[in-house]
Amino acid sequence: MSEEIRHHSTRVRRRRRHKSSVTNINIFAMTSSPEVAAQPAAPAPVPAPVPPAEHGDENLFGERLVSSEWLERRAKRLEKQEQEIKQRTLELERREAELDEREARFEADMYLREDEIEAREEHLRDLEARLGQKESDLGTFVARVQGGLLADAG
């Protein structure tokens, strides 16, 4: 039973190995003393990156430098992101222009429809006026006919 637990804990430890961050890998230290240069190369622990605001002078004097490979990868990644942002900006501008065009079309259609409705309303008013005039003419005619019939009958 204890062997199974040890075996299980060994597997778990293998899965949880420490992963260093990208910035730790790409930072290296340079020194100007010949004693350090004469020593055999031994794997030194990589210090955690320090924000530039705290140790800005160290970066200026070359005690801490960033590898050129990392800078190139970062520059490429930034360039790619800038291109994507430019493409997105152009796409947004295009879509805004399309939206403005659609809005202008809808407004123009609305004004044309309003003009058409106003013209129809005017035409209907004219027709109603003509109908009213014909109704009054018909009423007058009927009254004259009835009056003439009454005069002839009497």
Side-chain angles (χ1 to χ4, degrees), residues 100-115:
D100 289 341
E101 185 180 336
R102 282 180 58 194
E103 185 179 359
R105 278 193 212 138
F106 286 140
E107 259 185 60
D109 286 345
M110 184 183 68
Y111 287 130
L112 290 173
R113 289 178 182 170
E114 283 180 359
D115 290 344

Side-chain angles (χ1 to χ4, degrees), residues 81-145:
Q81 289 175 348
E82 285 177 5
Q83 289 175 355
E84 288 176 5
I85 290 172
K86 285 179 185 178
Q87 289 175 351
R88 289 180 182 176
T89 303
L90 290 174
E91 179 67 20
L92 281 176
E93 288 173 357
R94 183 188 63 79
R95 291 173 67 185
E96 283 179 1
E98 286 177 1
L99 186 61
D100 289 341
E101 185 180 336
R102 282 180 58 194
E103 185 179 359
R105 278 193 212 138
F106 286 140
E107 259 185 60
D109 286 345
M110 184 183 68
Y111 287 130
L112 290 173
R113 289 178 182 170
E114 283 180 359
D115 290 344
E116 185 178 330
I117 288 170
E118 288 175 5
R120 285 182 182 176
E121 287 175 350
E122 183 68 29
H123 183 67
L124 286 175
R125 274 188 236 115
D126 289 345
L127 289 175
E128 284 179 4
R130 283 179 51 197
L131 182 61
Q133 183 64 36
K134 286 186 178 185
E135 284 176 353
S136 65
D137 289 348
L138 184 61
T140 307
F141 177 73
V142 168
R144 268 199 263 152
V145 168

